[in-house]
Amino acid sequence: MEFDLAVDRIAAGGDGIGQAPDGRVVFVRGGLPGDRLSVRVVQEKKQFLRAEIVQVNRGASGRVDPPCIHARDGCGGCDWQHAGAQLQTQLRVAVVSDSLRRLAKLDGADVRPGPQLPVDGYRTTVRCIVSNGKAGFRRQRSHKALIPDQCLVAHPLVQEIMSSGNFGEANEVTIRVGARTGERLVQLDERAEIAVPADVLVGWPDRVEAVHEEVAGHRFRISGRSFFQCRPDGAEALVQLVAEAIDGSDGPLVDAYAGVGLFGTVYGQERAVTAIERSSSSAADAVANLAAHAKVETVAVEDWLPTPAAVVIADPSRRGLGPAGVRPLVATKAQVIALVSCDPASLGRDAGLLTAAGYQLDWVRTLDIFGHTSHVETVSRFSRS
C-alpha cells in the first residue's frame, strides 16, 4: 500500500508521525515534521501503520542530505543524519515536551535545550560487531554487519582502532578511550587472537582493564565494563546542568545509580556522599574515584535502605526509576531531586510518579550528547512542594 503522507510530529523513537487516509497513525522512519512524503506500508496493525519513504515530495525545513555515506548505505548507528544539528535540538525538546504532556499530564512544562555540543567525532566508547576480523556496526533493523571506512561520530582515537585493528574470531568488542588522557582499551567477552595498536590495553573475560578520563577538573578511572558517558564534554554538560539543579542545596547528598561516581566526585568534596551502584565494576571504580569520606553501597537502588538527604542526584538506565526506584529516593525527604534521564518515555513516567509523591517539576533541559541520533538526554529539577 502506498500513499502520500504529511508528517506533523516526531515520535520518541525518532520516527515521523502522520495520519493515513483511513485515519490510522503512521510511523515513518526518516520522516520529519513538515515533510510531505510518498510512503509504502511495511507493517500494518489495527491501530497504526509503519511505513518507509518512497520519495520526499517536499522536505521539512532543516532536512539535509546525510553527511555520512554509511547512513545512506543502511548503517543503524545514526538515525537522524537527515536532520540538521539545529533541527535535532528542536526535535529533542518537542519529544520531551510531548512525553511530559502525555505521560505525566504536565502541559506547558519548562523544557529548553542545554549547552550545545559538537555532533561529529565525539564518541569515546563504541560497542562493535565483528565481521571477518573487522569492527563495525549493525545495519538498520538487522543483525548483519556494516564495516565503515570512516565513522562520522567516532572519536579519532576510536576510529584508529576500528580501522587498523583485527579482532579475529571475536563476535563483539567494546572500544573505549580517554579523549583527554589518550589512554585506549578494547574489552572482549571471549578469548580471541587480535591485533591492535601497541598502546591499546586488551581486556578479556577474566581480566578487565581501565582507562582514565578527565571531566570538570577531576580524573576518573573507568573500567571496560563500567558505565560512563560517551564523551567528556557531554559529561561536563551534565555536571553543569546538575549544578544548576542543586544550586543552594546544602547537606548530605545521595548519588543514585552512581556509575563510576561522576556526580558524587564533583559535588562531594565538602559534604557527605552516599553513592549507590549495583554494578560491581562501576562500584569499584567509584571507590577509586570518590573522596575517602564517601560511602559506596553496591546494591540496587530499589533495594537500598534510604537515609535522610538534602539532595538526590539520580541517573538511572533507559527504563528510568519506576515505582520501585522512586520510593527509596522520596523516602530520603530530599528537598531537591536532580533526575538525569536518557529516555523521554521513562522521564514522562518518572515525572508523574515524583509529582504524585509531592514534588514539583521546575524545569527540564535537553542535551545533544548523541549527535545525529534520536537519543535524548535530559536533566530535570524536582523540588519538594
Side-chain angles (χ1 to χ4, degrees):
M1 183 194 322
E2 294 188 11
F3 52 84
D4 289 342
L5 180 74
V7 179
D8 53 28
R9 60 193 191 279
I10 200 79
D15 290 349
I17 302 177
Q19 190 173 43
D22 65 4
R24 280 182 288 183
V25 171
V26 182
F27 296 92
V28 56
R29 184 179 177 85
L32 297 171
D35 276 344
R36 298 294 185 269
L37 309 171
S38 294
V39 301
R40 178 186 300 114
V41 174
V42 296
Q43 183 183 29
E44 185 170 358
K45 298 289 185 179
K46 184 176 181 180
Q47 299 297 329
F48 67 90
L49 304 170
R50 294 196 182 276
E52 62 183 9
I53 297 174
V54 175
Q55 180 175 305
V56 178
N57 299 320
R58 190 179 76 195
S61 176
R63 175 177 278 278
V64 298
D65 291 331
C68 174
I69 188 173
H70 298 297
R72 300 191 290 273
D73 290 342
C75 180
C78 299
D79 60 342
W80 268 6
Q81 284 200 16
H82 56 288
Q86 184 176 3
L87 178 57
Q88 291 177 35
T89 299
Q90 296 169 355
L91 293 176
R92 291 185 178 95
V93 171
V95 166
V96 170
S97 298
D98 181 64
S99 181
L100 290 170
R101 181 171 53 252
R102 289 186 300 103
L103 300 176
K105 310 305 179 186
L106 295 173
D107 199 5
D110 179 7
V111 183
R112 284 179 277 171
Q116 298 297 295
L117 299 170
V119 295
D120 298 343
Y122 62 84
R123 288 208 66 153
T124 57
T125 300
V126 295
R127 187 171 181 87
C128 295
I129 187 173
V130 177
S131 177
N132 296 321
K134 302 302 291 183
F137 305 109
R138 287 181 171 83
R139 294 180 178 273
Q140 294 175 6
R141 299 179 181 177
S142 170
H143 292 293
K144 295 182 178 179
L146 185 150
I147 308 301
D149 298 324
Q150 192 80 14
C151 176
L152 183 68
V153 298
H155 189 278
L157 290 173
V158 171
Q159 179 63 59
E160 183 189 0
I161 298 174
M162 291 184 65
S163 298
S164 65
N166 187 294
F167 300 96
E169 299 300 317
N171 292 314
E172 290 187 342
V173 59
T174 297
I175 303 172
R176 168 165 280 167
V177 306
R180 295 171 177 174
T181 64
E183 298 176 13
R184 304 192 289 179
L185 73 80
V186 296
Q187 188 73 46
L188 295 102
D189 294 332
E190 57 192 320
R191 281 280 179 179
E193 292 292 331
I194 70 171
V196 293
D199 68 300
V200 177
L201 296 169
V202 180
W204 307 105
D206 57 347
R207 186 182 72 193
V208 178
E209 297 287 356
V211 297
H212 294 83
E213 185 61 279
E214 294 175 358
V215 174
H218 297 270
R219 183 179 174 90
F220 293 88
R221 187 185 84 180
I222 309 164
S223 298
R225 292 179 183 158
S226 297
F227 170 78
F228 196 71
Q229 293 296 331
C230 72
R231 54 193 299 175
D233 59 347
E236 284 179 337
L238 288 171
V239 165
Q240 174 186 331
L241 290 175
V242 170
E244 295 175 12
I246 68 173
D247 184 43
S249 301
D250 299 319
L253 182 150
V254 169
D255 186 2
Y257 311 90
V260 304
L262 172 65
F263 300 115
T265 297
V266 174
Y267 307 121
Q269 302 302 303
E270 298 180 357
R271 68 165 92 201
V273 174
T274 300
I276 310 163
E277 174 54 53
R278 71 184 303 171
S279 162
S280 58
S281 174
S282 294
D285 287 338
V287 170
N289 295 328
L290 286 161
H293 66 267
K295 181 181 181 182
V296 179
E297 298 193 30
T298 309
V299 63
V301 170
E302 296 79 6
D303 299 326
W304 175 62
L305 183 62
T307 56
V311 180
V312 167
I313 302 170
D315 185 6
S317 65
R318 289 182 65 86
R319 67 180 182 179
L321 300 173
V326 166
R327 278 193 294 271
L329 300 186
V330 168
T332 66
K333 300 191 183 301
Q335 186 60 37
V336 173
I337 296 178
L339 177 62
V340 181
S341 302
C342 58
D343 181 76
S346 66
L347 170 61
R349 293 189 294 268
D350 289 343
L353 292 169
L354 287 168
T355 53
Y359 286 82
Q360 67 178 22
L361 174 60
D362 297 320
W363 50 257
V364 182
R365 299 293 177 263
T366 65
L367 277 171
D368 303 338
I369 287 182
F370 292 84
H372 293 308
T373 81
S374 58
H375 184 103
V376 186
E377 197 89 10
T378 58
V379 174
S380 306
R381 173 187 161 92
F382 292 86
S383 59
R384 186 175 287 277
S385 56

